[in-house]
Amino acid sequence: MLMAHPAVLKNLVEQYETLRVLHAEEGSPEVRQRMNDIAYTLCVSTGTKDVDAALIAARHRLPGARPEDDSLLTA
């Protein structure tokens, strides 16, 4: 699967969250379509089928997403 660059994912997450905070789902048809387009792009970019899973997957790919992860450290 082709993976989106973290900068692209960060931008998509920010756009989606901004539209959600502004209650875009209740806005004009154009604004609702933009929110749907971003949700679709997030899903495609993360290989998921719903926007909530896409947001989680995208956040896990962002730099610093798992600072407690020590799986790369040797004992």
Side-chain angles (χ1 to χ4, degrees), residues 3 10 17 20 25 28 31 38-39 41 52 58 62 71 73:
M3 301 298 273
K10 181 177 186 262
E17 289 177 342
R20 188 164 51 182
E25 66 276 0
S28 70
V31 173
I38 293 170
T41 304
D52 292 325
L62 297 178
S71 61
L73 299 177

Side-chain angles (χ1 to χ4, degrees), residues 4-5 8 16 19-20 39 47 49 52-53 59 62 65 68 70 74-75:
H5 190 278
V8 172
Y16 187 83
L19 288 170
R20 188 164 51 182
K49 294 188 178 196
D52 292 325
R59 288 183 184 117
L62 297 178
E68 297 86 27
D70 63 356
T74 58

Side-chain angles (χ1 to χ4, degrees), residues 15-64:
Q15 286 184 60
Y16 187 83
E17 289 177 342
T18 298
L19 288 170
R20 188 164 51 182
V21 166
L22 296 173
H23 303 287
E25 66 276 0
E26 299 168 10
S28 70
E30 294 84 9
V31 173
R32 287 194 311 265
Q33 184 60 51
R34 179 66 182 148
M35 189 171 189
N36 289 337
D37 290 345
I38 293 170
Y40 174 80
T41 304
L42 273 166
C43 289
V44 169
S45 299
T46 58
T48 57
K49 294 188 178 196
D50 74 59
V51 71
D52 292 325
L55 289 166
I56 291 168
R59 288 183 184 117
H60 273 73
R61 295 222 27 244
L62 297 178

Side-chain angles (χ1 to χ4, degrees), residues 2-15:
L2 190 61
M3 301 298 273
H5 190 278
V8 172
L9 291 174
K10 181 177 186 262
N11 182 271
L12 289 169
V13 169
E14 288 174 353
Q15 286 184 60

